[in-house]
Every structure is written in C-alpha cells, then in structure tokens.
C-alpha cells in the first residue's frame, strides 16, 4: 500500500460584490459606463444566475429598448475563490410618444386648436411659448398668435423621461392689392407687385383689362 503526504489548501470564498441600487435610465439616454457595483479584485459578469462563462469586461448599458435587464456579477480576490453572484438590475423606462400635430395656417386675428398628442406613464404637458395660448398644459390648447409662431410641446412621464415636438402656426397678414401700375420704364410702379403674396403659395392671379379680356 502506497501512502502519500501533502498539504491541502482550502481557499476562502470572496465576499460577493455589492450592487449600488437600481440603475435607472430613460429610453435613448446617452450612457457611458457599466452597471454600478462596489467590488475589487476580478469581477466577472454573467447573464444568468447560474451556469455560463463569466466575462471580465463589464457590459455596456444600452437604452435603445425600454425594459428591465438583469446582470449578475461575482468577485474574486487574490488567493480566494470566486464569490456568489450578485444580481444587478438595469431599468430603462419608456420615453413618451409625443406629437405637436401638423403645421397650421390662420388669418390674422383668428385662432386655431393645436392637435397635440402625448402618450406615456402619467404624462405632464407644457407648451411654449404660452402667452398666446389659452392654456399651456392640455394636449389641445387654443392658439391665437399675432405673428407666425413655432410652438413646442414638452412631455414628461411619471418616471422622469421626456420628449418634445414642434408645430408652426403661420399667421397670414392681410394683403393690399394695387389696382394700377405704369410699365413705362421710368422706374416708378413699373412692376405690379403684391406685398406679402408669398404667404399664399397656392393663390391664383388673373389679370383682366377694362373689357374683361
């Protein structure tokens, strides 16, 4: 019978790293870095609570798609065994779906209802500029601008995610159509010009002589 002697070294298991809260972001946020954990030594990241091969490169946070994403991380200090896995949560909240509606055209002195929409979790709405609106917080306020104005609808969800959109209300100023011109080359009223007619891109102009021809 052969006997052998030796030393069996039992290495301790490293303490598990600590997840620093929930990593919360909004959809399409610009994020640099990886999920927050407190640890040292070698950190290994996994995509499941057991099995698989750990990656020493921390995962980057991607916010393109909303949802809850789970990662798992271990810690291994020198002369110690790999720790248990710590779950790390990354939550990406959905940003609101926002539309300010189509651009509008109104005559000077008229008003128009803006047809905004805002979909999301417990949304709050603010329109700006607000001084020509009946109310700046509903999705469909009434606007009565005196000049062409671009309105912005800004929407914030209950999760703190936000988005915005713009709509232009073109105010058509009244035009004064001259009834005479003198194309005699003296430089005075040689051309028949209608100021501000460019506001009416679909207008049709017809010229008749005194006999209707």
């Amino acid at each position: 019978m052969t006997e052998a002697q030796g030393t069996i070294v039992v290495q301790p298991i490293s303490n598990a790293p600590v997840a620093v809260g929930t990593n919360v972001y909004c959809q399409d946020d610009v994020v640099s870095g990886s999920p927050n954990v407190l640890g040292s030594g070698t950190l290994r990241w996994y995509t499941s609570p057991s099995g698989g091969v750990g990656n020493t490169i921390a995962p980057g946070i991607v916010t393109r798609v909303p949802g809850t994403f789970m990662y798992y991380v271990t810690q291994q200090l020198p002369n110690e065994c790999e720790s248990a896995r710590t779950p790390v949560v990354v939550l990406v909240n959905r940003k609101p779906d926002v539309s300010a509606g189509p651009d509008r055209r109104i005559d000077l002195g008229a008003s128009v209802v803006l047809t905004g929409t805002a979909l999301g979790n417990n949304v709050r709405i603010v329109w700006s500029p607000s001084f020509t609106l009946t109310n700046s917080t509903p999705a469909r306020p009434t606007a009565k601008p005196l000049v062409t104005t671009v309105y912005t609808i800004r929407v914030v969800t209950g999760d703190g995610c936000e988005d915005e959109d713009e709509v232009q209300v073109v105010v058509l100023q009244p035009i004064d159509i001259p009834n005479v011109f003198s194309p005699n080359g003296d430089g005075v009223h040689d051309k028949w010009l209608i100021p501000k007619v460019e506001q009416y891109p679909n207008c049709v102009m017809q010229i008749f002589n005194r006999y209707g021809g």
Side-chain angles (χ1 to χ4, degrees):
M1 181 175 180
T2 302
E3 295 183 358
Q5 293 182 344
T7 301
I8 297 176
V9 178
V10 178
Q11 293 182 326
I13 298 176
S14 295
N15 292 326
V18 177
V20 183
T22 301
N23 302 265
V24 182
Y25 303 94
C26 290
Q27 184 181 4
D28 293 334
D29 274 353
V30 177
V31 181
S32 61
S34 56
N36 295 322
V37 295
L38 295 177
S40 58
T42 300
L43 298 179
R44 293 186 179 89
W45 293 87
Y46 300 83
T47 56
S48 61
S50 62
V53 178
N55 193 333
T56 55
I57 299 176
I61 296 175
V62 179
T63 62
R64 184 175 60 257
V65 178
T68 301
F69 305 92
M70 294 293 299
Y71 299 93
Y72 302 86
V73 61
T74 65
Q75 176 177 252
Q76 185 173 9
L77 299 175
N79 302 316
E80 294 184 2
C81 295
E82 187 177 6
S83 73
R85 299 184 187 185
T86 296
V88 181
V89 180
V90 174
L91 176 61
V92 180
N93 289 313
R94 184 180 298 275
K95 68 179 181 181
D97 294 321
V98 183
S99 173
D103 291 344
R104 309 300 292 271
R105 301 170 71 88
I106 62 173
D107 292 325
L108 179 64
S111 61
V112 63
V113 176
L114 304 181
T115 55
T117 58
L119 301 177
N121 173 33
N122 193 24
V123 296
R124 303 188 309 275
I125 299 172
V126 176
W127 286 89
S128 63
S130 61
F131 59 90
T132 54
L133 299 175
T134 53
N135 194 330
S136 63
T137 58
R140 299 169 63 93
T142 298
K144 191 176 181 180
L146 299 179
V147 295
T148 296
T149 303
V150 175
Y151 293 97
T152 300
I153 179 174
R154 178 173 176 268
V155 179
V156 182
T157 69
D159 302 312
C161 299
E162 63 182 70
D163 203 358
E164 61 184 35
D165 194 24
E166 294 181 343
V167 60
Q168 183 182 58
V169 177
V170 176
V171 179
L172 302 175
Q173 303 293 326
I175 61 175
D176 183 16
I177 303 176
N179 58 6
V180 295
F181 71 110
S182 56
N184 56 8
D186 64 356
V188 180
H189 302 305
D190 286 333
K191 297 181 180 180
W192 187 55
L193 301 176
I194 305 176
K196 303 176 184 176
V197 73
E198 66 277 2
Q199 298 179 116
Y200 302 85
N202 297 320
C203 72
V204 176
M205 290 184 290
Q206 295 177 307
I207 302 176
F208 302 91
N209 60 26
R210 68 177 64 186
Y211 306 108

